[in-house]
Amino acid sequence: MGSREERKNVKFWTTKMGQVLRRLRLRKRRHSLSRRRLQSTTSYGSGAAEQASTSSEDHDIDDLEMQVVRYKPEGLDILCRNTKFTRKELQIMYRGFKQECPTGLVNEETFKEIYAQFFPQGDSSSYAHYVFNTFDHDRNGSISFEEFVMGLSVLARGSLQERLEWAFHLYDINGDGIITKEEMMDIVSAIYDMMGRFTEPQIDEGTARDHVNRVFQKMDMNKDGVISLDEFMDTCRRDENITKGMSLFDTVL
């Protein structure tokens, strides 16, 4: 079932995501209404044929938006077996997910907008892009409910082993099974950009690179210039600070 704190974290994130998505939908709706008013004003006095054409175009756009394929998730029993959530928890999460994402899918643009709401003090777009890729297992450009709860399950209730594996895949940007120094630099820079002015002391590119050099040297045990999964896992397990940091992943997502 998970501890009270774990349940609170899951409820917080799903509720927060719902609030953000609701605001985004309202913003897009207002933008659509403003566009139609502008078109109506522009076409005033231009003749019935032009007005009919504009109206037809509006209806075509609406029809296109309504024809988005609805995604149907797997059965709850399957998700219960593949995650650490109960059937009741999954039902509650799916209800909120479906209400705010009628198509059953979240694309990367929306995912970045969600992250921007959580980290308004910095630029979270790069980090959100990397996290999105770890959730989008089939690389189709959208996150389904299954992918969402599978990722959330690992971060909120996964073992240390599972969280470390998730972190490795985050840093392994191109998915080739190893982490290069350039990949680590990209992730660390994205984190610093996301934290923005709250990073103390203030971090510049040189400071970030020095940090990456120190960590990379520690993890690259055989000195072959790349970090394998085993090297990553062994180093993290021996470093108490990294191990403690794993407990924060459920609030970072």
Side-chain angles (χ1 to χ4, degrees):
M1 182 68 177
S3 68
R4 180 181 301 177
E5 186 65 24
E6 288 173 340
R7 292 195 298 271
K8 185 170 68 174
N9 284 334
V10 172
K11 182 178 180 181
F12 166 79
W13 202 92
T14 52
T15 301
K16 182 70 174 178
M17 186 189 72
Q19 292 171 347
V20 172
L21 287 171
R22 193 176 298 114
R23 286 198 294 269
L24 294 175
R25 288 170 60 196
L26 288 173
R27 188 188 308 166
K28 291 177 180 178
R29 190 177 301 167
R30 293 192 192 101
H31 176 73
S32 178
L33 290 174
S34 298
R35 182 188 62 190
R36 293 179 185 179
R37 291 193 187 100
L38 179 61
Q39 289 176 337
S40 177
T41 303
T42 304
S43 62
Y44 179 75
S46 299
E50 184 176 349
Q51 290 181 3
S53 175
T54 301
S55 176
S56 176
E57 290 175 359
D58 283 345
H59 285 304
D60 289 343
I61 293 174
D62 291 341
D63 290 342
L64 181 61
E65 293 175 348
M66 292 300 293
Q67 289 172 5
V68 177
V69 176
R70 296 311 196 246
Y71 179 84
K72 186 175 181 180
E74 296 177 354
L76 290 181
D77 290 337
I78 297 177
L79 290 178
C80 281
R81 290 196 298 269
N82 294 333
T83 69
K84 300 180 187 295
F85 297 124
T86 66
R87 185 181 184 87
K88 181 65 175 177
E89 288 172 327
L90 289 168
Q91 287 174 333
I92 293 173
M93 284 190 286
Y94 180 65
R95 194 176 300 125
F97 191 91
K98 187 67 173 177
Q99 180 179 353
E100 305 305 333
C101 307
T103 64
L105 299 169
V106 175
N107 60 28
E108 183 172 343
E109 179 184 359
T110 300
F111 194 78
K112 287 181 177 179
E113 291 175 327
I114 292 172
Y115 253 87
Q117 298 287 330
F118 278 99
F119 300 95
Q121 72 277 4
D123 181 2
S124 61
S125 59
S126 292
Y127 187 75
H129 166 73
Y130 296 131
V131 174
F132 181 89
N133 286 341
T134 66
F135 272 58
D136 182 19
H137 296 297
D138 56 12
R139 293 292 190 270
N140 67 348
S142 60
I143 297 175
S144 66
F145 179 69
E146 288 92 336
E147 290 172 325
F148 167 70
V149 295
M150 290 287 286
L152 190 60
S153 175
V154 170
L155 295 178
R157 297 183 180 172
S159 64
L160 177 61
Q161 168 94 8
E162 290 171 329
R163 296 185 188 198
L164 287 175
E165 289 178 352
W166 183 90
F168 179 85
H169 292 306
L170 174 69
Y171 280 86
D172 179 19
I173 296 175
N174 65 4
D176 62 355
I178 55 175
I179 299 173
T180 65
K181 186 176 290 186
E182 289 73 22
E183 287 176 321
M184 183 175 287
M185 184 65 192
D186 287 343
I187 298 294
V188 170
S189 297
I191 293 173
Y192 287 151
D193 288 344
M194 178 175 66
M195 299 309 295
R197 65 176 181 273
F198 287 110
T199 305
E200 294 291 345
Q202 291 294 312
I203 302 295
D204 56 26
E205 184 176 349
T207 307
R209 188 166 294 279
D210 289 341
H211 173 74
V212 167
N213 287 337
R214 289 195 302 272
V215 174
F216 199 90
Q217 184 176 7
K218 181 186 296 186
M219 289 189 167
D220 184 15
M221 298 177 182
N222 62 3
K223 308 304 177 186
D224 63 350
V226 296
I227 299 172
S228 67
L229 176 60
D230 289 339
E231 288 175 323
F232 183 86
M233 301 289 281
D234 290 343
T235 305
C236 289
R237 287 196 190 98
R238 294 199 311 270
D239 193 316
E240 185 177 353
N241 291 327
I242 295 177
T243 301
K244 289 180 179 178
M246 288 294 104
S247 65
L248 300 178
F249 272 119
D250 56 338
T251 59
V252 169
L253 176 67

